Amino acid sequence: GLRVQFEMTDIEEAGLVKFDFLGLRTLTIIDWALEMVDKVRAVNDQAPLDIDAIPLDDGATFEMLKRAETTAVFQLESRGMKELIKRLLPDSLDDMIALVALFRPGPLQSGMVDDFINRKHGRAEVSYPHPDYQHELLKPVLSPTYGIILYQEQVMQIAQVMAGYSLGQADMLRRAMGKKKPEEMAKQRAGFMEGCAANGIDKDLAGNIFDLVEKFAGYGFNKSHSAAYALVSYQTAWLKAHYPGPFMAAVMSTEMDNLDKVVPLIEECRHLKLTVTPPDVNVGGYKFTVDEQGRVVYGLGAIRGVGEGPIGAIVAARESEGPFKDMFDFCRRIDPKRMNKRTLEALIRSGALDNLGPNRAVLAAAVEDALKAAAQNHTNQNLGMLDMFGDAFAAAEDNDVYAEYRQVREWTDRERLAGEKDTLGLYLTGHPIDEYERELKRFVSTRIVDLAASREPQRVAGLVVGVRTMKSKRGDTMAFVTLDDRTGRIEASLFGELFDQVRSQIESDQVLIVEGDVSNDDFSGGLKLRVKDVTPMVTARVRYGESVDIALNAERINGRLVESLRSCLTPYCDPSGLPVRLHYRHPEASAWLQLDDRWQVAPSDDLLLALRDVEGQTGVQLRYR
């Protein structure tokens, strides 16, 4: 085709036609999803899926749409669109085409959307187009939209069937209505009236219908555009309903450069009861994939801190020599230019090397030696020398390559999950609240899943996984905090003074105990909580706790241990905190010693973790009354 750099109007004057070509990411999603779907179908002896031949009246797809479970469905995933879907309850492709055309400021503000919904659900009379001004000829034109003039094509069809316009004349009418020029409209009106008169249509009726057409033409949407988009939306919805694993893997693969978008998609996988496994250097590749068990495997390309180069090298090495046996074998087979300490540590923290060693702490301890051995091996190969390390690697197959690293302390759940949050953007192999479970039973008796709407205030604990703020009409700041306790999620709202008092305590990944009124949330279909009181974990521990107890073995007490404890406690000293007690233990005797008030501490997670890492002592415990 001819490419020109002139405006649309100039092009048309020259007798050329303007085309718009849109590139849609969604078409890539469908293509990648089909690639995975066809692998699943091949295992079941089914032919490849032809996405253009799927039934357009699929019950499972429309049931999913009516529940507004449209996250990742093309065009239908915004909060406002979900609200519209819940009101309209689409049950046909015609309704989906209408959704695209209705979800715009004009139709939403004009009352046209309400009219459309009321007519669809039988709460308002369907007329063509108005109870007082309608004509049988318009029934086939307007029946797909319950008598509402919604599309530009309907404006053209009305002119054709009532006034005998040709398609060319009807298109001129459509354009004139879009431009809203009074003198042009007067001409069009006269032509329309004349055509209706020739068809024996009453003058008053013709005039009133023209006025209605003119009124709604401003909101008219191009149906062919809407239909093309709605078909793509339907195809993505159908894939989500029937092949959720491949579909979600494809969607996440297109968003890998943006972890903020991947995280809610992983949450959607969980909502769909899909298992998401950590990335694995022996399975999958750069993109998200689906394994033989139907689980979604996290894409290596979505690990923060690991670039495309290392991943290409990993996949190439695996494809040429088979799966990696351990981390030493892994490093030996990857070009040292592609694998540095930072990249290797990111892979470990993400869980991508879990199948190559006993645990992440041991793998992390062996990083430097594995990289050094690999670099030496590579140098020797380049020099054509006899590879002593090659023998070492071969011999190691029979021995425990991790023998000298196994004495390291295994990571706590909190440390393991923090590594996942840093590299993957979310917690994948557990939930931080698990660590608090025994403690939380002292503070709350209800889990989020057990909450119900009630007039009595209820108390619940949860991890802060999202915070959004907005200004009220009075200018106050209000916050909506999403709390998650692994059994479920709830949005907790804080208003005015309460939010101002506690805003410094509300941080992502902190555990909060909140009390307030629980009621039904019309938007989500779930529950919402209006907060009256907020208690951070540290405050709850001080309120219900008795002391921080540190056990010390007599034979390990020395000046270095005392100094380590002093420097560990000092940053957390707080006169309103808990007392610290030392439990002195000797084979022949033991005694308790309480430190004076100057050493009262705020019992935060950071303090308790730091104390556990002080060498020479045997443990730390938060004692409750």
Side-chain angles (χ1 to χ4, degrees):
L2 177 66
R3 282 187 8 191
V4 292
Q5 290 178 318
F6 297 100
E7 284 199 342
M8 175 179 76
T9 45
D10 297 330
I11 291 296
E12 288 176 351
E13 297 251 337
L16 297 170
V17 178
K18 178 183 82 85
F19 286 89
D20 287 346
F21 291 95
L22 297 172
L24 286 184
R25 189 175 61 89
T26 308
L27 298 179
T28 302
I29 289 171
I30 292 172
D31 191 46
W32 287 356
L34 289 177
E35 213 177 285
M36 287 180 268
V37 165
D38 287 344
K39 283 181 186 169
V40 174
R41 289 173 68 89
V43 170
N44 298 325
D45 293 327
Q46 292 173 292
L49 179 67
D50 181 358
I51 196 70
D52 295 318
I54 60 173
L56 298 178
D57 57 356
D58 179 64
T61 303
F62 284 109
E63 284 308 308
M64 184 186 79
L65 285 176
K66 286 180 193 173
R67 295 192 299 269
E69 291 175 2
T70 53
T71 298
V73 174
F74 178 53
Q75 294 199 116
L76 307 184
E77 51 185 331
S78 73
R79 189 183 177 101
M81 180 58 101
K82 284 179 178 177
E83 282 178 355
L84 176 56
I85 289 168
K86 282 193 171 183
R87 291 171 59 209
L88 192 137
L89 300 175
D91 52 16
S92 66
L93 189 64
D94 273 332
D95 282 352
M96 289 186 72
I97 297 168
L99 268 175
V100 179
L102 288 167
F103 191 64
R104 294 176 301 125
L108 286 166
Q109 287 158 16
S110 68
M112 185 177 177
V113 171
D114 297 325
D115 193 15
F116 187 99
I117 290 167
N118 288 333
R119 288 185 182 202
K120 173 175 170 63
H121 296 301
R123 295 189 291 266
E125 184 189 341
V126 176
S127 45
Y128 303 95
H130 187 278
D132 300 329
Y133 316 111
Q134 53 183 329
H135 198 283
E136 274 299 303
L137 285 172
L138 298 186
K139 195 169 183 179
V141 174
L142 298 175
S143 58
T145 53
Y146 310 100
I148 304 281
I149 302 166
L150 181 58
Y151 306 117
Q152 294 171 355
E153 285 88 340
Q154 287 174 318
V155 170
M156 294 167 67
Q157 283 176 291
I158 289 168
Q160 275 183 284
V161 298
M162 291 195 73
Y165 276 37
S166 68
L167 275 173
Q169 290 171 316
D171 192 44
M172 295 309 292
L173 170 68
R174 177 190 65 79
R175 288 179 179 214
M177 286 186 163
K179 289 172 185 163
K180 292 190 168 86
K181 289 184 179 169
E183 65 279 9
E184 181 70 27
M185 286 313 298
K187 255 198 294 186
Q188 289 290 348
R189 185 189 179 92
F192 184 84
M193 299 294 286
E194 202 178 299
C196 285
N199 277 346
I201 292 169
D202 177 78
K203 185 181 170 187
D204 285 346
L205 178 64
N208 281 310
I209 285 179
F210 185 88
D211 292 342
L212 281 167
V213 170
E214 186 181 357
K215 179 185 170 188
F216 285 104
Y219 305 128
F221 195 71
N222 182 251
K223 186 179 183 181
S224 57
H225 176 84
S226 198
Y229 268 40
L231 181 61
V232 174
S233 297
Y234 178 84
Q235 289 175 344
T236 58
W238 188 92
L239 283 168
K240 186 179 178 185
H242 293 277
Y243 293 96
F247 174 69
M248 293 304 295
V251 174
M252 290 187 288
S253 294
T254 64
E255 296 287 11
M256 285 200 310
D257 294 338
N258 188 345
L259 272 185
D260 289 342
K261 288 193 175 176
V262 170
V263 172
L265 291 168
I266 295 282
E267 293 301 335
E268 181 66 7
C269 286
R270 288 173 173 163
H271 175 71
L272 295 168
K273 304 284 190 289
L274 290 170
T275 302
V276 181
T277 70
D280 183 346
V281 292
N282 275 339
V283 181
Y286 189 79
K287 295 189 294 197
F288 285 79
T289 50
V290 177
D291 68 11
E292 288 171 2
Q293 286 83 46
R295 299 174 303 186
V296 175
V297 181
Y298 210 98
L300 294 169
I303 304 171
R304 195 182 275 135
V306 181
E308 210 164 330
I311 293 162
I314 290 166
V315 174
R318 190 180 75 211
E319 286 175 352
S320 68
E321 292 182 59
F324 303 103
K325 297 180 187 72
D326 53 55
M327 191 168 72
F328 287 84
D329 176 50
F330 175 79
C331 290
R332 179 178 63 82
R333 287 163 55 186
I334 307 292
D335 184 337
K337 293 193 194 82
R338 296 288 191 194
M339 189 58 59
N340 57 31
K341 185 181 177 185
R342 190 180 67 86
T343 302
L344 190 55
E345 285 177 341
L347 286 167
I348 291 167
R349 296 176 79 216
S350 73
L353 302 186
D354 281 0
N355 293 325
L356 302 188
N359 61 56
R360 294 179 196 177
V362 168
L363 288 166
V367 160
E368 291 199 9
D369 288 347
L371 287 170
K372 273 183 202 162
Q376 183 64 55
N377 179 53
H378 194 73
T379 303
N380 290 347
Q381 282 184 341
N382 286 347
L383 294 172
M385 291 168 64
L386 176 66
D387 185 2
M388 291 183 296
F389 278 98
D391 295 337
F393 282 120
E397 287 181 24
D398 304 322
N399 301 323
D400 179 5
V401 296
Y402 298 112
E404 63 184 281
Y405 314 104
R406 286 182 183 273
Q407 78 283 2
V408 298
R409 174 179 69 74
E410 201 165 328
W411 290 353
T412 62
D413 288 352
R414 185 173 172 220
E415 289 168 308
R416 186 187 82 249
L417 292 170
E420 291 176 14
K421 185 78 186 284
D422 287 346
T423 54
L424 305 176
L426 77 165
Y427 308 114
L428 205 56
T429 62
H431 197 294
I433 209 159
D434 293 346
E435 204 173 324
Y436 301 90
E437 197 155 14
R438 285 171 63 191
E439 271 189 285
L440 288 172
K441 283 177 182 169
R442 299 172 183 275
F443 313 144
V444 297
S445 56
T446 309
R447 306 301 297 269
I448 289 174
V449 73
D450 300 321
L451 289 173
S454 166
R455 292 182 183 175
E456 295 295 315
Q458 295 173 72
R459 186 193 282 179
V460 74
L463 188 80
V464 176
V465 293
V467 182
R468 61 188 177 92
T469 57
M470 58 190 290
K471 292 281 185 193
S472 69
K473 286 176 183 168
R474 293 189 307 180
D476 300 330
T477 301
M478 48 189 180
F480 297 91
V481 180
T482 306
L483 296 174
D484 183 321
D485 75 347
R486 193 168 47 81
T487 71
R489 287 188 168 191
I490 193 164
E491 189 168 75
S493 53
L494 294 88
F495 297 90
E497 277 182 37
L498 175 62
F499 177 60
D500 291 337
Q501 287 163 14
V502 300
R503 70 191 318 168
S504 63
Q505 300 164 358
I506 299 173
E507 293 176 28
S508 279
D509 306 323
Q510 296 296 311
V511 174
L512 288 183
I513 297 146
V514 297
E515 189 171 332
D517 299 326
V518 178
S519 58
N520 292 310
D521 182 358
D522 293 336
F523 167 69
S524 70
L527 298 169
K528 58 186 177 183
L529 189 150
R530 183 170 177 142
V531 179
K532 293 182 173 175
D533 182 54
V534 176
T535 310
M537 277 299 287
V538 175
T539 309
R541 284 169 175 162
V542 171
R543 194 177 294 169
Y544 299 101
E546 192 174 312
S547 58
V548 175
D549 294 352
I550 302 168
L552 303 170
N553 276 356
E555 72 274 9
R556 303 186 74 173
I557 295 176
N558 55 34
R560 199 176 67 182
L561 172 60
V562 171
E563 192 47 50
S564 292
L565 282 173
R566 183 201 300 275
S567 58
C568 188
L569 292 169
T570 301
Y572 302 96
C573 285
D574 185 335
S576 61
L578 290 178
V580 174
R581 300 196 312 164
L582 303 180
H583 187 199
Y584 174 82
R585 302 202 302 201
H586 188 275
E588 293 170 17
S590 72
W592 284 95
L593 171 69
Q594 183 164 319
L595 302 186
D596 68 37
D597 292 354
R598 284 175 305 159
W599 292 99
Q600 288 189 180
V601 290
S604 68
D605 291 343
D606 290 337
L607 169 65
L608 298 176
L609 194 60
L611 284 171
R612 284 185 189 121
D613 278 343
V614 173
E615 274 188 67
Q617 46 120 354
T618 57
V620 60
Q621 183 187 2
L622 185 64
R623 181 177 294 278
Y624 282 95
R625 297 190 188 102

